[in-house]
Amino acid sequence: MAARVPLGCEPVVGSLTPSRKKEYRVTNRLQEGKRPLYGVVFNFIDSRYFNVFATVGGNRVTVYQCLEGGVIAVLQSYIDEDKDESFYTVSWACNIDGSPFLVAGGINGVIRVIDAGKEKLHKSFVGHGDSVNEIRTRPLKPSLVLSASKDESVRLWNVHTGICILVFAGAGGHRNEVLSVDFHPTDIYRIASCGMDNTVKIWSMKEFWTYVEKSFTWTDLPSKFPTKYVQFPLLIASVHNNYVDCNRWLGDFILSKSVDNEILLWEPKMKEQSAGEGTSDVLQKYPVPECDIWFIKLSFDYHYKTAAIGNREGKIFVWEVQTSPPTLIAKLSHVQSKQPIRQTAMSFDGSTILSCCEDGTIWRWDVVATTF
């Protein structure tokens, strides 16, 4: 039987011995509440607010600011009217006038758009038939957001007008919960999604782009907008053998993870003529021990040089993602951090790492200034 990976083409596996290029120490630990925290994210949309972050857990969205000396200041808190809501995801976005928005979703399937500038609810998006697992904002046009849902679909929304522009679902769509979604950093038409059907799907909005543009000038009711279904992806990749709970573009490559203690870096190769067909070439592997439960997400610094990921034992692994072989910068652990870390957030330059935990705590790690 022929080997699946030709000789010399095996993925490069990173070593778990930290390079110690950077060292981090705990500078703060906050107990936000009793309910698990599922999301934490810095605002990379607006340079005025690079040190501002948001968390979600239970029916609460909280906004904080990271100050000097490890200080974390609470700025705002929003409590959903439904006490049974459990938010799983939050993303920063903004209105066309530049006002900062927070977009949150969870078990109810209703997406809440909060105007953080005016401190009030801006809009609620109803459309998904089940819970929302992830929301991502398009960095180059931050009034466009994607949502991934348990209802097996991904939706594209305009937060300014409240319109659902596109639904990625149907004949070639996901066959189980969609757990993660991401906009391509430079190709305006391309997105990636992954989920419980063990696949990563790459989609194009190219032939529907006029609808995206129309969503900004639409003056009628949002419900009257001609929402389009995108039924066929450009590529369906089976690089994992289990749930895929996080995928992120790294240029034209994709970093994705499943429940098998590693992150994969791979190159999708599309066949131009035949949609859905193509190959995926796994280039590198980044081991993450004790990361075998689903719903653990990756985060990056602004320039995608470094990634941070938690595990089920409360440890954080900080990987340099653009080196070959991959370099583990640091492994962060603290005697009191024992709960699963669902998500981390890296600051703009990677000097601060936040983690949000199953026990409702937020941890702050800051880089230690080293003198050589």
Side-chain angles (χ1 to χ4, degrees):
M1 207 173 110
R4 267 185 63 203
V5 179
L7 209 59
C9 299
E10 302 89 351
V12 183
V13 182
S15 162
L16 279 168
T17 307
S19 69
R20 306 190 74 141
K21 267 190 184 171
K22 285 183 182 169
E23 297 204 10
Y24 291 82
R25 66 184 177 90
V26 173
T27 55
N28 205 332
R29 174 179 176 259
L30 278 180
Q31 182 76 46
E32 188 181 285
K34 301 250 188 314
R35 293 172 77 171
L37 294 176
Y38 288 113
V40 57
V41 62
F42 273 106
N43 185 345
F44 285 172
I45 301 294
D46 191 326
S47 58
R48 294 173 297 177
Y49 309 120
F50 277 168
N51 65 347
V52 173
F53 69 92
T55 62
V56 283
N59 64 338
R60 185 188 298 254
V61 181
T62 314
V63 183
Y64 299 91
Q65 190 170 19
C66 275
L67 301 171
E68 293 294 311
V71 174
I72 297 175
V74 183
L75 299 182
Q76 298 172 4
S77 187
Y78 303 92
I79 311 239
D80 198 83
E81 59 199 23
D82 182 350
K83 66 179 189 314
D84 295 325
E85 175 64 285
S86 176
F87 288 120
Y88 296 149
T89 179
V90 62
S91 187
W92 289 95
C94 75
N95 209 343
I96 51 169
D97 64 0
S99 181
F101 278 177
L102 277 162
V103 190
I107 201 164
N108 282 350
V110 177
I111 295 170
R112 303 288 192 192
V113 182
I114 297 157
D115 186 330
K118 298 192 173 109
E119 300 198 31
K120 67 181 181 59
L121 187 67
H122 172 69
K123 278 182 167 56
S124 296
F125 298 160
V126 179
H128 280 299
D130 216 321
S131 52
V132 173
N133 290 318
E134 190 164 79
I135 294 168
R136 297 283 288 169
T137 302
R138 179 147 177 254
L140 302 172
K141 204 177 259 306
S143 38
L144 294 176
V145 300
L146 284 165
S147 54
S149 172
K150 187 176 178 177
D151 69 7
E152 304 182 1
S153 79
V154 169
R155 286 176 179 252
L156 176 71
W157 307 86
N158 184 320
V159 295
H160 170 60
T161 52
I163 283 165
C164 178
I165 310 163
L166 301 174
V167 180
F168 301 83
H174 285 284
R175 290 286 169 262
N176 206 330
E177 290 199 38
V178 191
L179 298 176
S180 184
V181 67
D182 199 31
F183 286 97
H184 190 287
T186 52
D187 182 335
I188 58 171
Y189 306 123
R190 200 158 288 196
I191 69 166
S193 63
C194 61
M196 282 190 181
D197 60 3
N198 305 0
T199 68
V200 179
K201 294 179 191 269
I202 294 170
W203 307 81
S204 173
M205 305 186 245
K206 196 167 188 176
E207 60 180 291
F208 303 95
W209 196 251
T210 51
Y211 294 93
V212 177
E213 290 173 336
K214 197 185 281 183
S215 75
F216 285 90
T217 54
W218 188 257
T219 51
D220 206 340
L221 291 169
S223 57
K224 294 199 171 151
F225 187 83
T227 300
K228 290 287 166 204
Y229 270 77
V230 184
Q231 294 210 53
F232 297 99
L234 293 176
L235 176 74
I236 300 171
S238 299
V239 290
H240 299 279
N241 300 317
N242 211 318
Y243 295 171
V244 192
D245 59 359
C246 189
N247 65 198
R248 299 287 181 259
W249 291 97
L250 184 67
D252 288 329
F253 302 123
I254 288 180
L255 281 160
S256 60
K257 67 164 283 285
S258 180
V259 292
D260 39 21
N261 303 316
E262 62 185 5
I263 301 160
L264 301 184
L265 174 71
W266 53 279
E267 182 181 11
K269 294 179 174 173
M270 261 67 79
K271 281 190 180 154
E272 287 305 313
Q273 264 53 54
S274 44
E277 289 181 32
T279 57
S280 42
D281 186 9
V282 178
L283 306 172
Q284 301 203 142
K285 293 184 175 184
Y286 308 75
V288 187
E290 281 73 53
C291 196
D292 51 5
I293 55 172
W294 67 281
F295 214 88
I296 287 184
K297 310 274 186 176
L298 278 161
S299 71
F300 298 86
D301 62 346
Y302 183 82
H303 293 292
Y304 278 72
K305 288 189 166 58
T306 324
I309 184 164
N311 71 2
R312 68 171 156 79
E313 292 189 339
K315 295 183 175 67
I316 298 169
F317 292 81
V318 186
W319 282 100
E320 206 167 334
V321 288
Q322 296 191 30
T323 58
S324 185
T327 314
L328 183 67
I329 295 171
K331 183 173 119 181
L332 314 182
S333 61
H334 188 278
V335 67
Q336 288 173 304
S337 177
K338 294 288 180 222
Q339 293 285 320
I341 294 169
R342 295 295 180 181
Q343 193 166 35
T344 59
M346 295 193 91
S347 63
F348 185 87
D349 61 358
S351 61
T352 297
I353 296 173
L354 304 170
S355 63
C356 64
C357 306
E358 198 91 319
D359 60 359
T361 56
I362 301 162
W363 292 71
R364 174 175 173 177
W365 298 77
D366 282 299
V367 79
V368 179
T370 47
T371 50
F372 290 104

